[in-house]
Amino acid sequence: MIGHLMAHKPHIAFLGTGIMGAPMARHLAEAGFPLKVWNRTPEKAEALAACGATIASSASEAVADADVIVFMVTSGEAADDVLFGTGEVATHLKSGAIVVMMSSIAVDVARAQARRLARYNVGYVDAPVSGGETGAINATLAIMAGGTDHDFEAVLPVLSVLGRVTHIGQVGAGQLTKLANQIIVAGTIALISEAFTLAAQGGADPAQVRQALTGGFADSIILQQQGLRMIEGRFTPGGNAFNQVKDFDAVARVASEVQLSLPTTECVSKLFRAMVAEGDGALDHSGLIRHIQRLNGLLKTDIQPGASS
């Protein structure tokens, strides 16, 4: 079992080396973990060879002999496909390995994956993250983990390289915490978008407004980082609006299951869905300010999705 291997560096397979995954994998390689990486688009993984990672030609090749398998793919559906569909990774995992699902996926999907992997004597920790591309690059991610005490303790040395780790509870608790995070992030982005639009239309410089609010009750990492993106019109995605809407879908599923009404979240969800419908889904979620400006006839320029203005 992997718990007995922690005196040595466990072998890690890292699946998904996109905007977030690439710097995360690099930190693990630089920390000395034996590392194999795989990405569906191979060129996104190739740069990691310079850090000492081995580039695998398939997901099944990457996981062969791995003690810890980290997923950072786009969705629960993508993870399911790699695990149980075309990737067939589950059948190549060794007994006693642990899958760490760092992708943001639906709570019920995470729990179902854990149950299916248990048939192969494979552990499971759902460990989604917050902090965006900046947190991945700086290894300052907030990591929210769900799983058994044994599995969590076994993978903690790996996760600790990537940021601050909190064990929330059993499998699914990490994804629930990420949904709570996304509700707060999206709601804050919506309010800052409206606040900056009001300030600008009333004759105040949003940059100075942001500066004045820093350190007060309205301050937040969102105000500092995403607020700056809004002011600079810099919407190359760290986290895009498509993924924000995906997270709202997951929130709605859980809220329905537990019979909750979340009226503020539903309002913010409609704003992001409108942003996507306008063609801005590939932009960073801070690009919501463009929707607010468009609603008020104030949007003066258009930009190509995924690009800065």
Side-chain angles (χ1 to χ4, degrees):
M1 295 293 288
I2 188 174
H4 299 298
L5 297 175
M6 280 302 175
H8 309 289
K9 295 278 189 182
H11 287 251
I12 300 173
F14 200 105
L15 310 182
T17 56
I19 291 173
M20 298 284 289
M24 293 165 68
R26 187 181 69 250
H27 289 308
L28 293 172
E30 291 174 347
F33 289 97
L35 181 69
K36 287 184 180 178
V37 299
W38 171 83
N39 196 75
R40 202 178 293 273
T41 306
E43 54 267 24
K44 291 185 177 180
E46 288 170 358
L48 292 164
C51 304
T54 299
I55 312 301
S57 60
S58 67
S60 58
E61 178 190 334
V63 305
D65 298 321
D67 302 303
V68 177
I69 302 90
V70 178
F71 275 76
M72 198 62 183
V73 297
T74 55
S75 65
E77 292 77 8
D80 271 347
D81 185 55
V82 174
L83 278 168
F84 309 113
T86 58
E88 298 183 326
V89 158
T91 60
H92 292 84
L93 297 173
K94 70 180 185 181
S95 178
I98 299 176
V99 167
V100 182
M101 187 59 61
M102 303 193 77
S103 306
S104 295
I105 67 175
V107 176
D108 58 338
V109 172
R111 289 171 175 163
Q113 289 176 351
R115 288 193 298 270
R116 293 182 71 176
L117 288 171
R119 301 169 192 166
Y120 298 91
N121 193 32
V122 171
Y124 187 96
V125 173
D126 62 303
V129 304
S130 181
E133 183 181 8
T134 300
I137 291 170
N138 295 330
T140 55
L141 292 168
I143 303 170
M144 315 151 217
T148 66
D149 290 344
H150 170 272
D151 288 348
F152 173 75
E153 291 297 331
V155 301
L156 181 58
V158 174
L159 295 178
S160 296
V161 172
L162 305 174
R164 179 177 56 84
V165 191
T166 303
H167 187 197
I168 311 297
Q170 294 301 304
V171 169
Q175 299 296 343
L176 278 169
T177 306
K178 180 59 186 287
L179 293 182
N181 177 85
Q182 295 304 85
I183 288 172
I184 294 169
V185 168
T188 306
I189 285 174
L191 290 173
I192 293 171
S193 297
E194 293 187 358
F196 282 4
T197 302
L198 175 68
Q201 192 65 6
D205 179 355
Q208 293 302 107
V209 171
R210 172 178 167 276
Q211 183 64 34
L213 296 178
T214 300
F217 268 12
D219 196 11
S220 67
I221 292 174
I222 300 300
L223 176 67
Q224 293 173 23
Q225 295 185 7
Q226 306 305 84
L228 183 60
R229 283 177 175 265
M230 295 177 192
I231 289 165
E232 295 178 346
R234 180 168 46 85
F235 301 126
T236 302
N240 66 40
F242 286 130
N243 285 332
Q244 192 74 64
V245 169
K246 177 200 74 174
D247 290 334
F248 277 127
D249 289 340
V251 169
R253 284 167 65 178
V254 176
S256 176
E257 288 169 5
V258 297
Q259 299 182 322
L260 282 181
S261 173
L262 304 175
T264 304
T265 300
E266 290 167 10
C267 289
V268 176
S269 175
K270 289 177 182 177
L271 292 175
F272 277 96
R273 292 178 195 279
M275 175 184 171
V276 169
E278 290 160 355
D280 282 354
L283 300 183
D284 187 83
H285 47 190
S286 59
L288 184 69
I289 193 170
R290 288 167 45 79
H291 173 63
I292 303 301
Q293 292 168 342
R294 188 180 282 115
L295 279 176
N296 289 284
L298 300 173
L299 189 62
K300 296 180 174 62
T301 61
D302 212 342
I303 59 179
Q304 293 299 315
S308 298
S309 62

